[in-house]
Structure formats: C-alpha cells, structure tokens
Amino acid sequence: MRYFVVLCVFLGTIFGQNLPFDLYKKGTNDGDTLLVIGGIHGDEPGGYFAASILQTHYTITKGNLWVIPNTNFESLLRNRRGIYGDMNRKFHHIDKDDKDYEDVTRIKQIMLEDEVDLILNLHDGRGFYRHNWENSIFNPAAWGQAFIIDQEVLNTTKTKYNNLDELAKLVSENLNEELIENHHTFNIKNTQTKDKDEQMKLSLTYFAIKNHKPAFAVETSKNLTQLVQKVKYQLKAIESFMDIMKIEYKREFDINNLSELEAVINDFQKITINDVIALDLNSIRGHLYYFPLKKQSNEFVFSHPLGSVLKNDKRYDIMIGNKRVGALYPQQFSYDEKNKNDLITIEYDETSTQVPFGTTLEVKNHFTIKADEKYRVNVIGFAKDGVENENDIKVEYKEFLKRFSTDPHNSTFRVEFYRDGMFVGTILVKFTL
Ligand SMILES: [Zn+2]
C-alpha cells in the first residue's frame, strides 16, 4: 500500500488562534480542480475522515483534487462542533480578534483561487432530510443524507457547473443506486439562502456562491450508527463529483467492502517525536509512563493528516481526529542534540546491525546493545541487580516485565540512550515471537 507521508507538525499551542489546518494539492495541474473541505464542524467525523482518506489513499491521475481534512483542527481533536463558536457562520463577517480569524481568512483565499472549479464542504447532519414530514427523524428540518444547495442555479457564465440542482440530482441518484440500508436515501435540500435563510447567508457555501463558485454541502447522517458508513457515502459522493468533473483517480482499497474501508479508517500510522523516537500508532499501549520529553517545544510529527497531540497538566494525549490512540506521561529531560544522528550497533540473534535513533528493530530471541561507552543505556522493563548501564548486556525476551512494553501485545520494548545526564534517543526492539 502506498502512502503519501505528509508531515504534520504540532509545535505547542498557537496562542490566540485555532490550530492551523493543512491543504494538500493532488493531481496533474491540467483539467478541473475540486476543493474538498472536511472538519469545519469538529464533531462530524464522517466528513473529516473521508477527506483524510482522500489524502492518504487516493492518487489523482487526471485533473486536480485539493483537500483540507482538518479545517477546524482543535475542535475535531476535542470532538466539539466549534470551540470558538460555529466556524460555518463566520464567512460573511469575522472579527479580527476571533480565534478562527486566520483559518477562515485562509479558507476564503483558497476558495477564491482561480483554479478552484467546485467546492464541497463535508458534514454529518442531524436526522434524515425528507421533503415531507414523516416523523421527528425523517423530515424537512433534518440535514442528514442530503446535498445542500443555497439556490437552484448560479446566474453566471463564469462556471460550467452553474446548475447546482441538476448536479446534486446526478450525484444523489448515483448514491441512491447502492445504499447500505434503504432508509439512507439521499435528497437535495435547497435552503434558498438569498430569500429565506439568514443563517446560511453566513456560511462557507454561500460565500462561494456570492463569488460565483459552485459549492455544495455534503451531509451524511449523524444517525448512521457506524463511522464507516458515513465515510463510505462521503467518499462515493466525492467520487461522483470527480466523475462529473472528469477528474480521474486510483483508490487503494475496495470502497464497497466495509471491513476493508474500516481498516483504512483505523490505520493510524506513525508518530515521530523530536526526530529520535518513533512509535507505531496501530500498536500502542493506552498509557506510556516515564516518557523522556523536553520541558517544552517538543515536536510531534504524524504521518496521518488528522494526527496531533493534546496536552494537559499530566500527559500528552495522542489524537487521530477524535480518537485518542495513546497517552504519554512525560519525564522531563534535556535533549543531547549533538549526538542525535549517531548510529548504534546492536548484536541480535546471530547477526549484527547499526541503526539510527527512532528505529524499530525486529528480534527473535535476544539482543545486546554495543554502544559507545559514553552512553548510558536503559532497557525499559529489564533490570539486573547491580547493573546501572545496560550497554553490552545480553537481553532475552523472558527477562522483560511485560507491562513495560510499548504495545498491547507485550512484544515491543524501549531502549533509551543517555549521555552526560541528557537524553539522546530511543530504539525499539520488537520480538517476533
Ligand atoms: Zn456540520
């Protein structure tokens, strides 16, 4: 499986502003450009996980796809609609001291770029939209399972995609051919914003409309029981728009196989910390204690577009969107930056190798660290009486206290390296039992 490993750096709280979002531009530079915006509401994971998967698991072979998967980043990490208020009501006017000011201003600039031909704003909405009242869940006031348009037609010659109603019909008919359950039908909700909806006049899509850019909100239902169902519908809708726009793509999974899609959603990839520690987030214990971190300015680099950390007074929570995949309880150290690019010799099983910090080494039975004598080596979960430096000591799996493993399967352990009281880096040893 091929990954676009794009680094997303979290450098502590940006004072006074929401966390910045990321824009990924994929494609071939000729042909039309679709802009997909996920996560404007932080408690709507169907939309933002779909956008994230566009970045990690799609290749664009013709035309262009621009993706913002983490629009209201801090809110989605905290699973809240908007920690600084409703971001989707700030597109008509926003005060300069609003904490969303920089994000909203940047989104507007991106939307107005000449290349952008069509815009999708992804949401999970309440209930199931129906033209006629059926009950409290299926009714005209609901938003779920609908394409939201502000008006039927854009009265401009600046775009060939000006019949919003017709385009939404095409896409919804396509989705309705293959529903997971019959009541998941998609409909078109025309808010007739100009005449009837003062609130929608403040929204992202109406800002686009006013600037002659076709825009749709894609709403899957919050009432769908599984995230994977929402993500599937979002991706199918986006694919339908790409088809209309003659944007061609390759996808690295079978979208109709829900368990395969679920595995894609739950692939949290990897985190690198301060360049010298790397953890596999698909196989990490819920809590890691005595974790060597700097007092401040720690650098957490995720390969997943929705990855970031949330710091509280005790720990750093490792987040992928609204999912907490692990937690680090820090022990403060100064870092030795001078030696961070050293290679460490390790003898293991019947062989020997040299590896940089941040490596995970697979071992069958035993290993011996053969570091420079200036290092103090601490093999976490291994202790021998009277030994303070575990350099040049043969270590076997059976000697470990399993609760110190970094993974829930008791197979991977930290080997930490120190020099002159400072921390240098970590190598993980993974026993392939
Ligand atoms: Zn929403």
Side-chain angles (χ1 to χ4, degrees):
M1 189 171 284
R2 185 174 158 208
Y3 283 92
F4 292 85
V5 178
V6 175
L7 305 181
C8 155
V9 182
F10 178 80
L11 296 163
T13 307
I14 314 284
F15 290 103
Q17 288 288 335
N18 203 331
L19 284 175
F21 60 79
D22 300 289
L23 167 67
Y24 302 93
K25 295 183 175 180
K26 304 163 74 79
T28 55
N29 286 325
D30 27 70
D32 284 354
T33 298
L34 172 65
L35 170 62
V36 174
I37 298 170
I40 196 166
H41 290 144
D43 59 348
E44 300 177 5
Y48 68 73
F49 270 100
S52 168
I53 289 169
L54 290 177
Q55 162 54 17
T56 52
H57 288 74
Y58 282 69
T59 308
I60 304 301
T61 53
K62 187 166 168 255
N64 303 283
L65 176 66
W66 292 8
V67 186
I68 303 174
N70 56 345
T71 306
N72 195 345
F73 203 6
E74 210 169 327
S75 297
L76 64 87
L77 298 172
R78 297 182 190 277
N79 202 30
R80 286 182 42 199
R81 183 175 178 85
I83 49 176
Y84 304 121
D86 189 339
M87 191 186 271
N88 201 26
R89 293 291 177 268
K90 296 182 181 179
F91 283 78
H92 178 66
H93 169 78
I94 183 163
D95 288 330
K96 275 211 157 126
D97 56 2
D98 192 303
K99 287 183 166 37
D100 289 330
Y101 179 81
E102 280 178 21
D103 282 347
V104 170
T105 305
R106 239 179 99 209
I107 296 166
K108 284 180 175 175
Q109 285 164 353
I110 294 164
M111 288 165 66
L112 296 182
E113 300 233 4
D114 280 348
E115 294 100 308
V116 173
D117 295 298
L118 196 146
I119 299 161
L120 299 178
N121 192 15
L122 312 184
H123 295 261
D124 305 353
R126 199 165 38 80
F128 295 81
Y129 174 74
R130 292 289 188 271
H131 297 300
N132 300 308
W133 181 276
E134 292 171 26
N135 57 46
S136 62
I137 297 176
F138 297 81
N139 63 61
W143 292 89
Q145 304 303 95
F147 294 91
I148 317 298
I149 54 176
D150 291 283
Q151 57 199 51
E152 209 174 297
V153 178
L154 266 181
N155 295 312
T156 173
T157 49
K158 287 186 178 165
T159 171
K160 59 190 157 188
Y161 303 116
N162 58 354
N163 196 327
L164 303 180
D165 186 59
E166 203 177 272
L167 291 166
K169 270 197 186 110
L170 271 174
V171 175
S172 58
E173 276 164 17
N174 192 9
L175 260 68
N176 289 341
E177 275 173 23
E178 256 183 279
L179 297 168
I180 301 165
E181 290 187 57
N182 286 335
H183 69 274
H184 294 173
T185 333
F186 279 81
N187 284 286
I188 295 149
K189 176 167 179 156
N190 183 346
T191 52
Q192 301 177 56
T193 302
K194 193 159 166 267
D195 302 318
K196 290 196 174 162
D197 199 324
E198 287 305 315
Q199 280 297 306
M200 285 299 283
K201 278 187 185 163
L202 315 177
S203 71
L204 181 149
T205 53
Y206 197 61
F207 173 81
I209 300 299
K210 282 188 300 183
N211 288 283
H212 313 295
K213 297 270 190 182
F216 302 78
V218 181
E219 302 256 6
T220 48
S221 176
K222 283 186 166 139
N223 297 56
L224 298 186
T225 48
Q226 299 168 41
L227 177 61
V228 65
Q229 298 181 342
K230 299 179 210 179
V231 172
K232 175 179 168 171
Y233 287 131
Q234 290 281 2
L235 289 174
K236 284 224 153 191
I238 295 159
E239 289 185 359
S240 287
F241 277 102
M242 287 202 281
D243 292 343
I244 290 168
M245 299 174 74
K246 301 193 167 58
I247 298 168
E248 293 174 13
Y249 57 87
K250 282 191 195 126
R251 175 188 353 96
E252 297 170 10
F253 58 93
D254 176 2
I255 197 167
N256 294 314
N257 181 334
L258 284 187
S259 55
E260 210 174 294
L261 178 55
E262 192 147 35
V264 169
I265 293 170
N266 290 318
D267 179 1
F268 301 138
Q269 307 184 26
K270 182 180 121 167
I271 184 176
T272 306
I273 300 162
N274 298 327
D275 274 341
V276 290
I277 311 173
L279 296 169
D280 175 3
L281 297 182
N282 291 322
S283 182
I284 182 172
R285 251 181 210 279
H287 306 270
L288 293 177
Y289 297 97
Y290 303 106
F291 204 86
L293 290 175
K294 299 183 220 179
K295 188 172 181 196
Q296 54 199 18
S297 303
N298 289 291
E299 195 179 72
F300 301 94
V301 179
F302 289 81
S303 48
H304 195 293
L306 300 173
S308 191
V309 295
L310 286 177
K311 187 177 184 292
N312 60 39
D313 44 336
K314 280 204 206 85
R315 58 170 202 253
Y316 292 81
D317 285 332
I318 301 175
M319 306 298 298
I320 299 294
N322 62 354
K323 296 171 189 281
R324 195 176 72 118
V325 299
L328 308 178
Y329 292 75
Q331 187 176 14
Q332 268 174 32
F333 279 99
S334 297
Y335 271 53
D336 175 347
E337 307 280 345
K338 271 200 319 280
N339 298 294
K340 71 177 195 180
N341 296 319
D342 266 8
L343 295 177
I344 300 294
T345 302
I346 306 178
E347 293 177 2
Y348 67 104
D349 302 329
E350 308 318 320
T351 180
S352 158
T353 185
Q354 281 198 317
V355 294
F357 297 116
T359 301
T360 299
L361 182 70
E362 293 199 350
V363 166
K364 269 207 188 71
N365 299 307
H366 58 84
F367 67 90
T368 307
I369 304 294
K370 294 277 192 182
D372 186 292
E373 60 189 18
K374 292 195 184 83
Y375 279 100
R376 182 174 72 81
V377 176
N378 187 8
V379 181
I380 308 292
F382 168 86
K384 226 172 197 142
D385 284 345
V387 176
E388 215 176 279
N389 184 350
E390 284 147 356
N391 196 17
D392 206 13
I393 288 184
K394 185 175 170 186
V395 182
E396 289 181 81
Y397 179 73
K398 63 174 192 280
E399 295 169 291
F400 277 98
L401 293 171
K402 304 301 181 282
R403 66 191 155 89
F404 287 97
S405 68
T406 61
D407 65 332
H409 318 293
N410 299 331
S411 66
T412 308
F413 295 88
R414 285 147 60 187
V415 182
E416 296 177 349
F417 295 80
Y418 296 84
R419 262 177 107 130
D420 302 323
M422 289 190 284
F423 173 76
V424 190
T426 296
I427 291 167
L428 296 184
V429 174
K430 180 179 183 177
F431 286 95
T432 56
L433 307 161

